[in-house]
Amino acid sequence: MNETDDKNQAASSPPAVEPVAPAQLPAKLPPEALHAVIEHHPPSRRSIWTRRLAILAVVGGGIGFAIWQAHRAPAIPSWIVYGNGRLEADPIDIATKFAGRVAELRADEGDKVTAGQIVAVMDTRDLAQTLQKQQAQVEQAQKAVEAASSTLEQARSSTILAGQEMERAQKLLANGWTTREVYDQRKQALDSARAIQNVAEHRVTEAQHALEAARHDAKLTQVNIDDNKLIAPKDGRIEYRLSNVGEVLPVGGKVFTMLDTSYVYMEVYLPTLSADKVRIGADSRIVLDAFPDRPVPAKVSFLASQAQFTPKMVETKSDRDKLMFRVRVKVDPDLARAHADAVRSGLPGMAYIKTDPAQPWPASLLGRQVQGNKE
């Protein structure tokens, strides 16, 4: 091997590396070294909001579950059927009997009224003038009756006198102290007096009938004037005011709509299988959404004989099971009148109807007051 080859081999072989002694670490690091090694990384804003949302979700879920547990509907026994509806009070329209102008309004929406209370007055000036005319005719007819009665009294006196003369002439003729001619004259005078008396009596009757007719006309006009004073037919509350002062209304023009607070009810729709178990007079309870802890006692007052919301031709059992029947449950009138201030038409709620009168109401449908009395 020559010198050139030795140089090439030396260049291609790696250089020799001397072994390094292992690093010697101290057995215990000083505190300064620990602080230098441990690094503090602050949490990101995203992780903070994630934790907060998780906590809020857990808390909100717990609160929602508690509320659901407190307000969830209790289990309904099999002997109770139910449906949703709205509380209603019987509406009554206060309208005009005659066409006319509204002169005065004495009530407004929300006012509580009593039966017979005047709530509006129509313009009756024309009727007042007619009444005065008819009252004058009554006075005139009264004077005509008095005049006819005087004539009748005079005719009666003439008849009495003619009768007396007739009796005297008859006695004189029997004794021969007068002639037949005189007797005939007395008899003719008596017949004439009686005829005049009959005519006078008929005139008195006619005058009395005319007086009665005049009085009836005046009374009729007075009734019409009174009917133009619109009154509340029952105790209740004014729901709507439909006219203003000065408006001219036709016959039957509505001025107010009031609610009869003694006729309070709720109408629900029950399927065929449920409606078949309901009977008129069945005990029921009305539970309003606004007052879930105060069930209102009621009775079934109406059950429709025909189904609603159904096709015209029902041929399958599945369709027959979908038939809905209207059922009305009515609150006792005395109870409704006692709580008239609390009646609110249109409040949604549920009506529960007991199909088995022997079964008791569950505690949730007794109400706080009833439960207190039971205890």
Side-chain angles (χ1 to χ4, degrees), residues 229-289:
K229 296 177 181 179
L230 308 184
I231 64 174
K234 293 184 177 181
D235 295 345
R237 185 184 304 108
I238 300 295
E239 184 179 22
Y240 300 113
R241 177 174 57 84
L242 305 175
S243 300
N244 291 319
V245 175
E247 292 186 5
V248 178
L249 302 180
V251 176
K254 298 179 182 180
V255 180
F256 293 108
T257 296
M258 64 170 290
L259 296 178
D260 181 7
T261 53
S262 65
Y263 196 100
V264 181
Y265 61 92
M266 176 180 286
E267 289 186 346
V268 298
Y269 292 87
L270 301 179
T272 303
L273 297 179
S274 298
D276 185 59
K277 304 175 183 178
V278 177
R279 296 293 180 268
I280 299 296
D283 196 14
S284 63
R285 292 290 187 272
I286 296 176
V287 180
L288 300 175
D289 294 348

Side-chain angles (χ1 to χ4, degrees), residues 165-224:
E165 293 179 350
M166 175 64 185
E167 291 179 0
R168 287 194 296 265
Q170 186 176 7
K171 292 179 181 180
L172 293 175
L173 179 62
N175 295 328
W177 295 342
T178 186
T179 62
R180 185 71 183 183
E181 182 181 3
V182 174
Y183 172 79
D184 294 339
Q185 292 176 354
R186 297 294 184 267
K187 184 179 179 181
Q188 184 179 6
L190 177 60
D191 294 339
S192 179
R194 287 175 177 174
I196 294 174
Q197 180 179 346
N198 291 334
V199 172
E201 289 176 353
H202 287 302
R203 289 179 177 175
V204 170
T205 303
E206 292 177 356
Q208 290 176 345
H209 289 169
L211 176 61
E212 291 177 0
R215 287 175 176 173
H216 286 313
D217 290 341
K219 289 181 180 179
L220 178 60
T221 303
Q222 185 62 54
V223 169
N224 293 339

